[in-house]
Amino acid sequence: MEVTFLLVALAVIALVLLTPLLILAIRVRRLVRRRGLTISAALLTLGSLTTIVLTALIYAAATYAWGMLSGFGALDPAETCASAAGFYSGTPGPPDDRWTGIAENALPIARTCSWSDGTRFELVPWWVNPLLFAWLTIAVAALPAGLAARAVDRGEAVRSGYQA
């Protein structure tokens, strides 16, 4: 039962994350076939760049959620920190009675367990913040490119006499 649930959950997550890329690929293919654009020109249309912005924002939200949920479990915070630091795997760690708490930060995402002897352990995976900022950079960079593509499309439409 648990394996089936896990497989279904992974399939749903994959579908949600891959859908924007599939939409972008279909859009680019259609532009290449119908309008005779090159792939790079099709990617620089307003609609394609809008899809890229939305995809990057969806992925940024998923990455942010992953980071914010890191370290949350069925255990209480002290047990979560102790488990992450290796107490339950036989790895020596700081004494449980010296645990001082968890320091959290929303951006960049951080959830750090600390002990009074100076030991610190980060619960958020190392890759979450770089990936989050990469997605946000892609979204921010595609916005002006989309506006420029829209201006170019309007300029070509005016020169050719095309009325939308």
Side-chain angles (χ1 to χ4, degrees), residues 78 81-82 85 87 91-101 114-119:
C81 287
F87 285 116
T91 305
D96 219 11
D97 60 343
R98 292 190 180 170
W99 180 72
T100 57
S114 44
W115 287 263
S116 60
D117 64 356
T119 303

Side-chain angles (χ1 to χ4, degrees), residues 2-47:
E2 291 177 19
V3 173
T4 304
F5 174 76
L6 180 63
L7 290 175
V8 169
L10 287 174
V12 168
I13 290 169
L15 181 66
V16 167
L17 291 178
L18 293 176
T19 297
L21 291 178
L22 182 61
I23 291 169
L24 179 63
I26 290 169
R27 176 175 176 67
V28 167
R29 183 171 183 244
R30 186 176 299 143
L31 288 171
V32 167
R33 282 188 164 190
R34 291 191 181 160
R35 290 174 67 187
L37 298 175
T38 63
I39 292 175
S40 58
L43 280 170
L44 289 175
T45 62
L46 179 61

Side-chain angles (χ1 to χ4, degrees), residues 115-128:
W115 287 263
S116 60
D117 64 356
T119 303
R120 299 173 66 90
F121 191 84
E122 180 60 47
L123 297 174
V124 177
W126 66 269
W127 52 267
V128 169

